[in-house]
Amino acid sequence: DVVLTQSPLSLPVTLGQPASISCRSSQSLVYSDGITYLTWFQQRPGQSPRRLIYKVSNRDSGVPDRFSGSGSGTDFTLKISRVEAEDVGVYYCMQGTRWPLTFGQGTRLEIK
Amino acid sequence: EVQLLESGGGLVQPGGSLRLSCVASGFTFSNYAMGWVRQAPGKGLEWVSDISGSGGNTFYADSVRGRFTISRDNSKNTLYLQMNSLRVEDTAVYYCAKEGGSGSYGHLDYWGQGTLVTVSS
């Protein structure tokens, strides 16, 4: 199975400051069609997961532009340019390139 | 507006069975694959199963293969998860999620609110 390793697992951030989460894969996530199926989700306290970013860098509708995704191959990053209070929660990366679908362990973002 | 509404969770003894349902609205259900993802209390997300738009292709995590069965009724816009031989470690909130297309997987662009399954004696 593809193992996704996120770091850090806990991320205290001051309001208005940037934040960055890494997701490293045990295998290349480039599919045979040339597309990389790496997705980022946000799970706010007490809520269902919400997709933020798909195919590495595409923002979902309604997602603020302070969120951005980047990376290639086995190394990916989610960045928040200026953290706001509503960004508190757990962030997960997920790969959809190979069965079974797998998630990273999650990164808990909190306000310092 | 896409909406997914799960039901059927509850308390069941080890070795028992439960069937979860997920009613979908706001999109043409038969045109999209669907999936189930679970989250044990205080833990991360774990993919459980996916099914194609027609229902002809199914996929399972090793942890549930042979015990769980995913199915769908496109006439009722409903996704199911039949869970047999339940174990304590199956205790989790179970989410249904919409995929990107009939035979397109690993997208999970919309999620339901989840239904809690507790396996305990």
Side-chain angles (χ1 to χ4, degrees):
Chain A
D1 296 1
V2 175
V3 176
L4 298 179
T5 302
Q6 290 184 227
S7 62
L9 298 184
S10 178
L11 184 55
V13 184
T14 300
L15 286 174
Q17 293 300 301
S20 179
I21 300 170
S22 168
C23 176
R24 290 201 165 97
S25 173
S26 61
Q27 303 175 39
S28 172
L29 297 184
V30 181
Y31 189 54
S32 56
D33 61 6
I35 297 173
T36 300
Y37 293 95
L38 188 283
T39 302
W40 289 96
F41 298 93
Q42 174 195 61
Q43 187 174 31
R44 290 171 170 154
Q47 295 188 13
S48 303
R50 167 199 182 194
R51 196 177 73 171
L52 295 177
I53 303 281
Y54 61 97
K55 296 178 190 176
V56 180
S57 60
N58 295 274
R59 241 187 339 267
D60 270 280
S61 175
V63 174
D65 61 8
R66 63 178 182 275
F67 288 92
S68 64
S70 63
S72 63
T74 61
D75 214 335
F76 305 92
T77 302
L78 175 70
K79 291 183 179 175
I80 309 173
S81 59
R82 293 173 306 279
V83 169
E84 298 188 5
E86 66 178 18
D87 300 336
V88 165
V90 182
Y91 292 80
Y92 296 93
C93 58
M94 183 198 79
Q95 66 83 22
T97 297
R98 293 183 173 78
W99 294 109
L101 307 183
T102 51
F103 291 88
Q105 321 97 298
T107 294
R108 185 173 301 277
L109 186 149
E110 62 181 42
I111 303 301
K112 214 186 280 186
Chain B
E1 179 193 5
V2 172
Q3 291 195 341
L4 301 170
L5 186 61
E6 302 97 332
S7 62
L11 175 63
V12 61
Q13 292 188 337
S17 297
L18 215 52
R19 188 177 83 156
L20 306 183
S21 300
C22 171
V23 177
S25 61
F27 63 102
T28 304
F29 185 65
S30 59
N31 285 355
Y32 292 89
M34 297 291 294
W36 289 97
V37 176
R38 69 184 179 182
Q39 186 170 36
K43 302 297 184 182
L45 301 172
E46 180 190 14
W47 171 77
V48 173
S49 181
D50 259 48
I51 187 169
S52 62
S54 66
N57 292 303
T58 57
F59 306 86
Y60 297 96
D62 286 347
S63 57
V64 307
R65 186 176 290 113
R67 300 187 299 122
F68 290 12
T69 302
I70 191 171
S71 63
R72 62 193 296 159
D73 184 337
N74 287 343
S75 69
K76 296 181 178 178
N77 286 359
T78 303
L79 174 72
Y80 301 102
L81 186 67
Q82 177 67 44
M83 304 186 296
N84 298 331
S85 303
L86 281 161
R87 304 168 180 167
V88 171
E89 55 266 33
D90 294 319
T91 295
V93 174
Y94 285 73
Y95 297 101
C96 75
K98 174 183 164 290
E99 286 285 20
S102 178
S104 182
Y105 307 95
H107 301 278
L108 303 179
D109 54 3
Y110 289 92
W111 297 56
Q113 88 291 345
T115 187
L116 176 62
V117 173
T118 303
V119 185
S120 173
S121 54

